[in-house]
Amino acid sequence: SAQRITPRGAGELELAFRQLKDKLAGEGLFDADRKKPLPPFPRGIGIITSPTGAAVRDIGRTLRRRWGVSKVYLFGALVQGPGAAEQIANAIATLDDAAEKLGLDVLIVGRGGGSLEDLWAFNEEPVVRAIANARTPIISAVGHEVDITLADFAADLRAATPTAAAELAVPDKADLLRR
């Protein structure tokens, strides 16, 4: 007869996700009153993602099409695998510290879709704490609509996709001109 059941693989990750979510929620990191509003006309936008992934191309294309006047800074980081969480957390802290000097009004943090394991860096405590501690408003843009990470709970706004994050970050100049 079975003495103990130990989760493996995805089950182990799901358990770790729930435990860390409960811990950080208990500390108030996901509270609604911590959420900062996004500026309507951002001067500058910092993007933290892989410099070679599809996400950065989608975000850049959308920002240029919709607004085109904000300065955009890319801070390349590993988005999966060993060391990714530390790189993402460091990138958030670095851009947040330089936000005043660079004129950054919003940060987009994320990557394209993948498995639970692929997206795991965005469930790690250093990333979640860096998002929660940032003074600059942050949009999380991790994966696709069905993907939920702890970074999404800590961010000021969650976008369903990287493209949607760019749409949330800036107004649509064509729409403004029509008005």
Side-chain angles (χ1 to χ4, degrees), residues 12-112:
E12 198 171 6
L13 290 179
E14 293 280 352
L15 181 61
F17 178 93
R18 281 198 305 278
Q19 288 173 338
L20 185 56
K21 181 181 178 208
D22 291 346
K23 173 187 167 187
L24 298 177
E27 291 180 27
L29 264 60
F30 307 148
D31 292 358
D33 62 4
R34 293 180 59 107
K35 308 292 183 198
K36 296 172 287 302
L38 298 183
F41 305 104
R43 297 167 296 162
I45 299 164
I47 303 169
I48 299 162
T49 191
S50 166
T52 58
V56 72
R57 289 191 303 276
D58 293 344
I59 291 169
R61 187 180 315 116
T62 304
L63 292 174
R64 280 189 303 278
R65 175 179 51 82
R66 285 178 61 86
W67 191 231
V69 296
S70 299
K71 285 186 176 161
V72 178
Y73 296 88
L74 171 63
F75 198 120
L78 286 174
V79 293
Q80 72 183 68
E86 290 73 20
Q87 279 194 23
I88 296 163
N90 177 57
I92 292 166
T94 301
L95 282 185
D96 187 50
D97 287 344
E100 186 90 17
K101 189 174 70 178
L102 297 175
L104 294 176
D105 293 322
V106 66
L107 302 179
I108 297 173
V109 179
R111 58 156 291 156

Side-chain angles (χ1 to χ4, degrees), residues 54-55 79-80 110-116 118-119 141-145 147 160-162:
V79 293
Q80 72 183 68
R111 58 156 291 156
S115 68
L116 180 62
D118 292 343
L119 304 179
V142 183
H144 299 306
E145 304 209 14
D147 299 316
T161 64

